[in-house]
Structure formats: C-alpha cells, structure tokens
Amino acid sequence: MDAGILLRKILSPAGRRDPWPLYASLHALGQVNALPQIPGSKMCAVVNGYEAVGEVLRDVRFVNLDRGNIADSRPDWEEHPFYTTLMGTIMFSNAAEHSRFRRLFGKVFTPRRVTAMEPAITALIDARLDRMAAAGADGGEIDFMTEFAYPVPAGVVGQLLGIPEADWAWVPPRTDLINEALNMRVNNAKVLEAADVATQELVDYYLELIARLRAEPGDDVTSGLIQEIDAAGGGVTDLELACNLVVTYNAAFSTTTPMFAAALVELLERPEQAARMRDVPEAAGPLVEEILRYQTSVHFVSRSASEDLTVHGVDIPKGGTILVMLGAANRDPKRFADPDVFDPERPENNPISFGVGPHYCLGAALSRREGALAMPRLLRRFPKLAIGANPQVNDSILLPSYLSLPVTLF
C-alpha cells in the first residue's frame, strides 16, 4: 500500500477515529514518503518519522503558511477574516516577522510566569472539582468535557491573558469554530463562514481588552505585552497584538482540553497507573509526558519548501507542501521501543507533541503543568471515577478528542 492510499485512509472517518495502525504502515514505508501528484494540489509528501519530523520543523527553509505563500492555494484569502487574522501571526509567519512576535512573547510568556500561576491554577481546579461533585451527587452521569476538560483550560488561559472570568465560557466555542476550519475543512463554505464570524468577534473582543488593560493594567500576559510594546515605542500594532492573542489562546487551550480527556481514558483503563498518578507526586510528570506521546493532541502541521529540498531521500520541489505528522512521529518504532504500549517509565521519553524549532508551541509548559496539577487532584477527589455510557468522539485528525465523555463519580 503506497503513502497516497494510506493518507486517504488516515483522513477518512475510520482513520480519524483510529489512525495508529495506519501510522505504523507509513513507518514501514520510511521516514518520509512521497505522494502521487494530484492536479491542482501542491501536497507532495508526508513526513512521519520522529527524526525526519524534527529535521523539517527545525529547518527554516521549510516555511509555514503565511501571507507570502497563501495566494497560490487561496486567491480569495483577503476576503475572509479567518485568513486575514491568522496570516501574519506568531503561528502563521516566518523569518523576521515571526522572530519579531516571538521575541515579544518570549519576554512575557515565560516558565517563571507559569510557575507563579500554580496557586491560581490549583484553586481553579479545586473549584471545578467542587462543581463536579455537586453535579454528580445523585450518582448519575455527568459530562467530563463540559464540567472539567473545557472549563479548566479556559479558566487558566483566561487568567493568563487577563480575560475577565465572566467571559471565560464565551471564547472556547469561537476557538472551536476556528479549529474546525483549520481541520482541512476550509473548502466547506459553511465552515469557513462560521470561522470568519468567530474570528472577527474574537479580534474585536481582544481590541477592547487591549484598550481596557492599557488603561488599567493587571498582572497578566496581555498587560505585560502592552507595556513592552509601549515602552519600545510601538513596533507591534494593537490589531497585530489582537490577532496574536487569538492564536495564543488557541495554542494554550486547544491542546490541553484533548489532553485531559485522553489522560482520563488512558489512566482509568490502567488502574495501576491511575493509582500512581493519584498517590505518587513525582510520577505525575512522566505520566503526562507519556499521555502526550501516546495520544497526541495535535496530529499534524503543514510546511512548504522555500527552495528545492531533499529530506531522507525524498525530493521536495520549491513550493511543494508536506504534511508533518506529529502523531505518527510519537509512535515511531525507531525512536520509541514498543510504541503502541503505554509506558510512563520509558527512558528518554521526549514526545514531539508540541513541535520543535522556531514554531515550538508557546503553551507547551502551561499545558504540561496543568496536566500534572489537575489529574492527581481529580483522581484523589473521585477515587471511584468511571467512564459512563456512549462517549462521543469528534472526527478531527488535527485535534482528535471527545465531544462528550460521560463519567460517574461515586
């Protein structure tokens, strides 16, 4: 079976639900696999091996989609707020423009800030656990996604960015609509229209937030960014900052929600590992790391060759697009022994779930810390926690997760 057939299977509804055997078949073909030429498409290869994925993501000659190269694939991009907002942000930019934003955010979005937030994160987690206890007090099922996996990351990134608590529930549904368009569905007119509306609403919201925090700054990332920009005499406009806040929220929120769901399912299927997460403080970090490897939150990104390039023997022509399969790389048998076995004690466990190189995810440290803080507290609070009937999964290959995950608490 060639890589083209495998990719079609991966992107099919069945493949989206269970891509792992198909990733194994890709690995059997090689680290990088050429795709058959399709008229009108620039997609020319999939990169699935751990080593090759790292090489591509570190190589600045493989560029991200940005304003400079989108017109070929989407001539009408300037008519859509979804594109005009995302293009030219820290997530969708390259070279000097990307470095300009990265330096700014690097001054404010720091590991020290994440550490300083731990008491607030813990308080937020405990408050949600109290609400879960009340919702499930009668012994019936409650939805883990609604009660925990959505509101905890929404509250954490809300605090981080200075979003008022009253708005914490307003942002995630609009972020979901953006992700629906990012999930290789921008050719669906209704999906793109919904993403356009959601994106514009978020930009308008963040512009108002920037104005408010400039007048009354707080101890949050957005206030810090405003102060850095103003102290430097500009360099980043309020509109650019608002657009970057859209993708920053996405990076910090959308990776954590599926991680919580995956963690719960994988741990409850392995009672001995759930007990370690609950009872052994130093085990939380390695368990989260293995969850990130075993059930990757973001399964792929794309890159375009800025010149003729060759990766592991596969030629990529200038302008050619490649799919970089993070989920497959985390199950590469050449990097991880017995990759389909859940093993938190595996040596040198360095999943590539958050990428590497210039576009390494800004929210990685926050997401990891949320997992290490939240899952032990959840399992200690509800030692009889069990998965209920009929969980509903989405069909996303970009961000596979659950639409609903019923649980019982007692």
Side-chain angles (χ1 to χ4, degrees), residues 128 149 164 254 314:
R128 292 307 311 184
S254 298
V314 176

Side-chain angles (χ1 to χ4, degrees), residues 141-194:
E141 292 183 349
I142 63 172
D143 182 15
F144 179 73
M145 305 304 292
T146 300
E147 298 294 337
F148 193 86
Y150 262 75
V152 169
V156 171
V157 71
Q159 290 186 57
L160 184 77
L161 297 183
I163 298 172
E165 185 173 355
D167 298 334
W168 287 356
W170 182 85
V171 183
R174 287 155 180 83
T175 301
D176 285 343
L177 292 172
I178 292 173
N179 285 331
E180 183 71 1
L182 289 172
N183 191 41
M184 300 181 76
R185 290 178 178 151
V186 289
N187 290 325
N188 183 314
K190 289 184 178 180
V191 169
L192 182 55
E193 181 182 1

Side-chain angles (χ1 to χ4, degrees), residues 2-13 15 22 35-36 38:
D2 67 29
I5 294 173
L6 285 171
L7 182 59
R8 287 196 294 273
K9 287 179 176 290
I10 289 167
L11 297 178
S12 72
L22 298 168
L35 295 172
I38 299 174

Side-chain angles (χ1 to χ4, degrees), residues 8-280:
R8 287 196 294 273
K9 287 179 176 290
I10 289 167
L11 297 178
S12 72
R16 291 167 189 259
R17 288 190 296 272
D18 185 21
W20 312 112
L22 298 168
Y23 290 164
S25 296
L26 273 179
H27 290 313
L29 296 177
Q31 291 255 332
V32 181
N33 292 285
L35 295 172
Q37 288 295 304
I38 299 174
S41 173
K42 293 190 174 184
M43 190 69 65
C44 59
V46 289
V47 183
N48 47 275
Y50 183 95
E51 180 182 347
V53 165
E55 289 177 9
V56 166
L57 293 181
R58 291 184 179 95
D59 190 338
V60 296
R61 297 173 300 174
F62 282 105
V63 298
N64 209 349
L65 184 68
D66 67 6
R67 286 183 296 231
N69 57 28
I70 189 176
D72 289 342
S73 59
R74 191 81 201 201
D76 66 341
W77 72 275
E78 292 181 291
E79 300 172 15
H80 296 281
F82 168 77
Y83 286 111
T84 57
T85 296
L86 270 58
M87 295 305 105
T89 63
I90 194 170
M91 187 180 291
F92 293 93
S93 61
N94 297 288
E97 188 171 39
H98 180 264
S99 297
R100 177 166 62 103
F101 295 135
R102 193 84 189 193
R103 282 194 300 269
L104 172 64
F105 275 78
K107 294 177 180 179
V108 180
F109 204 138
T110 62
R112 180 179 297 178
R113 185 180 291 273
V114 172
T115 300
M117 283 188 68
E118 287 191 12
I121 295 173
T122 299
L124 192 153
I125 290 166
D126 289 344
R128 292 307 311 184
L129 295 177
D130 289 343
R131 293 186 60 169
M132 284 182 66
D138 63 357
E141 292 183 349
I142 63 172
D143 182 15
F144 179 73
M145 305 304 292
T146 300
E147 298 294 337
F148 193 86
Y150 262 75
V152 169
V156 171
V157 71
Q159 290 186 57
L160 184 77
L161 297 183
I163 298 172
E165 185 173 355
D167 298 334
W168 287 356
W170 182 85
V171 183
R174 287 155 180 83
T175 301
D176 285 343
L177 292 172
I178 292 173
N179 285 331
E180 183 71 1
L182 289 172
N183 191 41
M184 300 181 76
R185 290 178 178 151
V186 289
N187 290 325
N188 183 314
K190 289 184 178 180
V191 169
L192 182 55
E193 181 182 1
D196 280 341
V197 172
T199 305
Q200 190 60 59
E201 288 177 341
L202 287 169
V203 170
D204 292 342
Y205 176 84
Y206 284 123
L207 285 170
E208 293 178 4
L209 180 67
I210 290 165
R212 190 184 320 136
L213 292 177
R214 178 173 279 119
E216 298 180 18
D219 184 22
D220 55 79
V221 162
T222 305
S223 294
L225 291 167
I226 294 166
Q227 291 163 12
E228 288 285 343
I229 292 167
D230 291 350
V236 174
T237 68
D238 284 1
L239 179 58
E240 285 179 320
L241 179 55
C243 294
N244 274 287
L245 291 176
V246 171
V247 299
T248 299
Y249 185 101
N250 195 328
F253 167 78
S254 298
T255 55
T256 308
T257 292
M259 180 190 70
F260 278 149
L264 185 66
V265 171
E266 298 302 333
L267 291 172
L268 292 185
E269 287 181 354
R270 301 168 177 82
E272 74 287 356
Q273 298 294 356
R276 282 180 56 78
M277 178 69 89
R278 183 182 62 238
D279 300 332
V280 184

Side-chain angles (χ1 to χ4, degrees), residues 302-318:
S302 63
R303 293 290 186 268
S304 178
S306 63
E307 58 186 81
D308 290 341
L309 296 167
T310 301
V311 186
H312 283 253
V314 176
D315 293 331
I316 313 295
K318 180 179 180 179

